[in-house]
Amino acid sequence: MSDLVLRNDAGGVATLVLNRPEKRNAINRELFRALRGHVVALQSDSSVRLVVIRGEGDHFCAGHGLGEKPHADALGWLRKEVHTLELLSKLRQPVIAAVRGTCFTGGLELALAADFIICDETARFADTHGKWGLVPGWGMSQRLPRRVGSARAIEMMVTCRPVTGVDAERAGLANLCVVDGALDAALADYAEAILAISPHSNAENKRLVYDTDGMRLAQGIDHEVMRNAGFDRDAATRRASFPGAAVGGGQEAG
């Protein structure tokens, strides 16, 4: 793997670090290829139960590097980029984007492909496609409205104004904003909570939510029942450790 994206594993958590701090971790094709390689590897790595994406240094990601020449097959490469973010969003493991500093445009699209975002007060989120006469191609027009609502998403897209970490939390863009210096502690807290939960349940809950996005309520409930993956194999052991706890419906996994 290229050292433009570093992978650090510890205690069931794989942390992917965008490693171009001198460019505020702006994305170029080589970095994107490295990111794709790591995401593909994580698809089959059962030892990893949580994935964290962050940037080296003081910034998450300044977006796509505008100085790079267009790919000879621009549409083909765009499809590969979009597919990479789809692979990231469909990982069985929960994915957290941990944001400090700049999280602009392509960087924001990368963060939005995670299941949720936590940030600190240094964070600044913006979609600046319009500033450069561009339109999104990595999912901004779809994922941003689903996070913050259509009106707020359009406001961000047509003004290109940055949103602070505090305001991102208020808008639902970020799940949590902490004071500067507290991001690592917040990540550790989330990791402790997630790793205590059944990885089977986490993966299937995530799948059900994404698979039924846009369905009518009745259709979604039918999907939940008919395509239910059942209980984890250790469900009985987990229940036994909490005597008297109520458990909802479902079938034991085969």
Side-chain angles (χ1 to χ4, degrees), residues 24 63 104 116 136 143 174 186 205 213 236 250-251:
R24 294 189 297 169
F104 283 8
F116 59 95
R143 291 192 176 98
N205 287 336
D213 185 30
Q251 302 295 321

Side-chain angles (χ1 to χ4, degrees), residues 153-218:
I154 291 172
E155 177 189 355
M156 289 182 65
M157 295 170 80
V158 303
T159 66
C160 300
R161 290 176 177 171
V163 174
T164 67
V166 172
D167 286 341
E169 181 185 27
R170 290 171 180 162
L173 175 57
N175 294 71
L176 177 69
C177 179
V178 297
V179 298
D180 187 11
L183 188 57
D184 287 345
L187 276 171
D189 183 61
Y190 268 106
E192 181 180 9
I194 289 169
L195 294 175
I197 305 303
S198 157
H200 169 82
S201 296
N202 282 346
E204 292 305 317
N205 287 336
K206 175 176 170 175
R207 179 185 64 82
L208 286 170
V209 169
Y210 289 144
D211 283 356
T212 58
D213 185 30
M215 287 187 185
R216 295 171 62 90
L217 177 60

Side-chain angles (χ1 to χ4, degrees), residues 6-156:
L6 306 176
R7 175 175 166 177
N8 303 310
D9 287 21
V13 180
T15 301
L16 302 182
V17 184
L18 309 183
N19 190 34
R20 294 185 77 203
E22 73 284 0
K23 298 292 186 180
R24 294 189 297 169
N25 300 311
I27 299 169
N28 59 15
R29 281 193 289 275
E30 187 178 351
L31 186 150
F32 217 105
R33 289 188 184 99
L35 176 64
R36 182 182 178 88
H38 285 299
V39 172
V40 169
L42 286 165
Q43 289 180 302
S44 58
D45 193 336
S46 59
S47 70
V48 174
R49 296 174 55 190
L50 171 65
V51 177
V52 175
I53 300 179
R54 62 190 311 170
E56 181 65 29
D58 294 331
H59 299 279
F60 179 76
C61 177
H64 195 289
L66 295 177
E68 192 171 40
K69 292 182 180 179
H71 194 281
D73 179 10
L75 182 57
W77 179 251
L78 175 61
R79 286 173 175 164
K80 181 168 285 191
E81 291 171 325
V82 171
H83 184 242
T84 298
L85 295 188
E86 282 295 294
L87 292 178
L88 176 65
S89 69
K90 291 179 179 178
L91 285 174
R92 287 181 59 80
Q93 304 95 331
V95 181
I96 301 175
V99 176
R100 280 182 49 79
T102 301
C103 182
F104 283 8
T105 318
L108 178 53
E109 287 174 305
L110 173 59
L112 287 167
D115 296 310
F116 59 95
I117 298 169
I118 64 173
C119 67
D120 67 18
E121 291 177 339
T122 71
R124 295 294 182 270
F125 301 88
D127 174 22
T128 63
H129 280 102
K131 183 177 179 181
W132 310 107
L134 305 174
V135 293
W138 292 356
M140 182 77 76
S141 68
Q142 301 305 303
R143 291 192 176 98
L144 185 59
R146 285 168 168 78
R147 291 285 180 106
V148 302
S150 296
R152 188 59 187 267
I154 291 172
E155 177 189 355
M156 289 182 65

